[in-house]
């Protein structure tokens, strides 16, 4: 059996990294309170803003933490007890937004969506003109693989004058996202998804509206207080020792993406892999679980008495392949296969060979 | 000029990593919701508790974040508005504890210590029997290189029945620390100091008293809520995607330390380097700034019209060596040289050669 880090990894984060990232990762983390590091970070921020099609005067906060730290810090900094937040709750990450709002004491109401389903206009109708001030959505609900309709959401927010917070942890660089066109106030992503660097950094993009909310807010945290990050960020620094190596990996990666032709190239690569996989997987006893699947990941519901957990465990232990299991009520019936990170079509061929073998052996029925 | 990551680094975090750490760092971060990763983490926690001489039933929380995240989360989880906290304030990190307590609304009083001085019995006398419930100290005040007297502090806390929180970010593995003997309730360290792995993970050790405080507390945060970490930690997991690579580096590093002979070996290595450096540096126009210097770092005050900033910049740009500059009021007069990370006496010889050359060139007078 191969070591875990040698296995072919179709999980949805951490994902496999490209050569340009692993090279940076293999180096010592340098001392960083220097003009050189500052310049790298300022260039990196500029590149990221381009990739998110961010409007003028937007900024990026580099927060050392998990994606959830980014979600919490975004809510904490841009909202208060005087807001009334709508949250799309269609899976684990929608639930997480609710738990964060609850913990922070931000008044909110969930829009309950059946797992695997997307958000429809009818789901929003009853929330029109109801005094809400903000809207939070996981654009891709990573737990179910569902993509929500950003245009539908953006129109609703514009019409109701809502501040829009988008968790794009698994959709940034995998789906078309324009902060400008969709009037997104805060956009969250993480280092370990399509950015394909080591986990441990959350990125929060703020529009000028978002920045205004941060500046007018007083938060009960030093570590999460974006005011300090925005201030130090003007000179390419962070208030506290960041995950220096991961930041340098992100800088190298976004430079490479821009060299390769920008965000369109990345999105197309992921969409092509998703299509390649989805076309072939139709021959197996699994059905697409997501009503509208995101490019980043395919969630599959097993048919008959197949077990999602057994498929995950067998692929890991006997074929050195990681797919992504589900938790909770979907544990036995749903598994996911990612399309982000350093993956090629040949990697999927390897996965299909393994699945074929498992069919022959009767592990997949 | 060498690249930043190739320079000889005497900064006090990030520091240079050993081979066993860089090897792990160079690998892909594997999928981690597995029995294999859980086992590695449970072993790692056990090893860490041994290194901290933690009493029975202690635990370690692995928090993805900077050292400051560890400081904030420790205060947030173990204290409340009903506590009355004493904070040793003798430099930037003592000040940071105060800022955190302020942000969290925890009532506190600072013990003001002149920068460069240590804590004396007389500093504590006026706080005896004054209704305090907790005590926070940066055992090594990294900004000034001062080591405080843990026995003095521990006796004071035991006598006054105070819950003791020790920031050991730069002293863990560099000074003798026994959670058990000193009755430490919460001990904080970071991945990028003497652990010498990539920055981005804070470790918070909790004694059973500390755990009790966590369990009886309700915190206004999801990300920082230790209850979730303690629960998932029982099976070697974390509630949110952690900095997987850094955790695996920590696991490899502590295994190596224990192989090498344990914490005593690490402390001796650092103390020996500090002594080697301090003996030789006596011939240069710098004086020791710290009344009681910690093993981890030597802070030096420049004599005459020497400039600490110029020395830092020249070493960086012309000799490919990082020392650690100071900020604020000490910027022009104090610099620091670290003794943690993958350093050898020959590295100091290289530093002294550079200093000698700078003397010849009249940059050091």
């Amino acid at each position: 059996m191969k070591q875990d880090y040698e296995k072919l990894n179709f999980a949805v984060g951490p994902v496999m990294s490209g050569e340009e990232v692993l090279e940076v990762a293999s180096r010592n983390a340098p001392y960083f309170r220097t003009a050189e590091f500052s310049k790298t970070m300022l260039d990196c921020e500029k590149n990221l803003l381009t990739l998110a099609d961010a409007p003028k005067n937007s900024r990026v906060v580099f927060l050392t933490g998990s994606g959830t730290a980014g979600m919490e810090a975004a809510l904490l900094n841009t909202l208060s007890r005087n807001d009334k937040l709508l949250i799309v709750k269609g899976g684990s990450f929608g639930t997480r937004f609710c738990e964060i709002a609850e913990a922070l004491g931000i008044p909110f109401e969930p829009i309950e969506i059946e797992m695997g389903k997307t958000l429809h206009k009818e789901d929003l109708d009853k929330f029109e003109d109801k005094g809400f001030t903000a809207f939070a959505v996981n654009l891709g609900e990573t737990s179910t693989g569902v993509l929500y309709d950003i245009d539908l959401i953006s129109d609703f927010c514009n019409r109701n004058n809502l501040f829009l917070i988008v968790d794009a942890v698994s959709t940034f660089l995998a789906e078309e996202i324009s902060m400008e066109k969709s009037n997104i106030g805060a956009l969250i992503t993480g280092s370990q998804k399509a950015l394909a660097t080591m986990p441990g950094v959350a990125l929060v993009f703020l529009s000028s509206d978002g920045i205004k909310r941060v500046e007018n807010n007083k938060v009960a945290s030093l570590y999460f207080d974006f005011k300090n990050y925005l201030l130090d960020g003007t000179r390419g620094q962070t208030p506290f020792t960041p995950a220096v190596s991961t930041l340098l990996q992100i800088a190298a990666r976004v430079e490479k993406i821009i060299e390769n032709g920008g965000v369109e190239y990345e999105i197309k690569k992921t969409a092509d892999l998703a299509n390649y996989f989805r076309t072939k997987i139709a021959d197996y006893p699994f059905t697409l679980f997501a009503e509208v699947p995101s490019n980043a990941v395919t969630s599959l519901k097993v048919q008959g008495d197949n077990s999602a957990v057994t498929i995950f465990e067998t692929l890991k232990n006997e074929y050195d392949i990681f797919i992504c299991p589900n938790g909770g009520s979907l544990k036995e019936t749903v598994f996911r296969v990612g399309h982000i990170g350093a993956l090629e079509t040949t990697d999927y061929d390897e996965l299909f060979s393994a699945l074929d073998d498992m069919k022959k052996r009767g592990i997949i029925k």
Side-chain angles (χ1 to χ4, degrees), chain A:
Chain A
M1 193 161 81
K2 285 184 184 172
Q3 295 295 313
D4 280 2
Y5 59 86
E6 296 169 311
K7 291 192 203 298
L8 181 54
N9 183 7
F10 295 100
V12 212
V15 301
M16 296 191 296
S17 302
E19 280 309 314
E20 78 281 8
V21 167
L22 289 176
E23 194 185 324
V24 176
S26 71
R27 299 170 184 160
N28 271 309
Y31 184 67
F32 66 103
R33 299 291 190 200
T34 63
E36 291 75 13
F37 183 79
S38 290
K39 184 177 179 319
T40 303
M41 289 311 297
L42 289 171
D43 289 347
C44 179
E45 182 181 15
K46 209 178 127 202
N47 285 339
L48 284 164
L49 291 170
T50 303
L51 295 176
D53 193 25
K56 226 183 129 190
N57 300 321
S58 297
R59 294 284 305 281
V60 183
V61 168
F62 297 88
L63 184 68
T64 297
S66 308
T68 300
M71 292 167 69
E72 175 162 329
L75 261 57
L76 177 73
N77 278 277
T78 63
L79 305 177
S80 75
R81 283 165 197 271
N82 302 321
D83 280 292
K84 199 176 155 195
L85 175 65
L86 255 183
I87 298 173
V88 180
K89 187 183 169 198
S92 311
F93 292 95
T95 303
R96 191 165 296 176
F97 258 145
C98 295
E99 288 166 351
I100 291 169
E102 181 78 42
L104 298 178
I106 295 164
F108 73 98
E109 206 161 316
I111 307 175
E112 304 274 358
I113 306 288
E114 194 190 330
M115 283 205 283
K117 300 296 173 210
T118 192
L119 179 82
H120 294 277
K121 192 184 162 300
E122 302 74 61
D123 298 312
L124 291 173
D125 284 346
K126 61 178 164 187
F127 297 105
E128 298 270 0
D129 284 323
K130 287 287 188 298
F132 287 95
T133 62
F135 191 105
V137 62
N138 318 95
L139 187 57
E141 171 51 78
T142 320
S143 67
T144 60
V146 168
L147 180 72
Y148 297 121
D149 182 342
I150 185 67
D151 293 334
L152 176 73
I153 291 167
S154 178
D155 287 350
F156 176 83
C157 289
N158 285 336
R159 196 161 57 240
N160 288 277
N161 198 24
L162 307 189
F163 180 75
L164 175 55
I165 299 168
V166 171
D167 164 7
V169 169
S170 69
T171 45
F172 180 64
L173 303 178
E175 303 285 345
E176 224 179 281
I177 296 175
S178 165
M179 281 184 72
E180 175 137 36
K181 275 185 220 148
S182 302
N183 195 17
I184 297 170
L187 182 84
I188 305 146
T189 193
S191 55
Q192 82 282 15
K193 303 285 185 179
L195 274 170
T197 63
M198 297 300 146
V201 171
L203 308 170
V204 184
F205 297 65
L206 296 166
S207 71
S208 53
D209 278 359
I211 294 168
K212 234 173 273 160
R213 278 183 167 258
V214 169
E215 282 168 354
N216 294 328
N217 211 344
K218 192 177 177 321
V219 300
S221 171
L222 180 73
Y223 190 68
F224 282 152
D225 193 341
F226 281 176
K227 287 190 278 297
N228 300 322
Y229 290 83
L230 289 172
L231 185 66
D232 289 1
T234 57
R235 53 186 181 89
Q237 288 287 333
T238 53
F240 317 114
T241 301
V244 174
S245 174
T246 311
L247 291 181
L248 292 172
Q249 292 161 36
I250 294 172
R253 168 81 166 123
V254 296
E255 210 168 279
K256 181 86 174 184
I257 291 171
I258 286 177
E259 252 177 57
N260 280 346
V263 69
E264 295 78 13
Y265 169 88
E266 278 298 310
I267 295 170
K268 187 174 178 311
K269 178 177 175 285
T270 300
D272 286 351
L273 289 177
N275 288 335
Y276 185 82
F277 175 74
R278 286 170 195 164
T279 305
K280 295 207 169 192
I281 201 72
D283 299 338
Y284 295 78
F286 314 126
T287 49
L288 287 185
F289 180 63
E291 184 184 357
V292 179
S294 76
N295 288 329
V297 55
T298 303
S299 54
L300 294 163
K301 190 167 179 171
V302 300
Q303 294 175 348
D305 58 351
N306 281 300
S307 154
V309 174
T310 304
I311 293 170
F312 165 73
E313 289 288 343
T314 309
L315 282 170
K316 170 167 79 72
N317 297 333
E318 299 178 35
Y319 299 90
D320 291 319
I321 293 175
F322 280 125
I323 56 168
C324 201
N326 268 62
S329 61
L330 304 177
K331 191 176 169 185
E332 276 294 336
T333 52
V334 174
F335 66 86
R336 292 167 291 162
V337 175
H339 312 301
I340 52 180
L343 286 167
E344 304 294 336
T345 52
T346 49
D347 296 322
Y348 290 94
D349 295 341
E350 195 176 326
L351 173 60
F352 283 115
S353 294
L355 293 177
D356 289 342
D357 197 53
M358 284 164 69
K359 257 192 193 172
K360 265 190 222 146
R361 295 171 60 199
I363 298 165
I364 294 175
K365 293 144 213 159

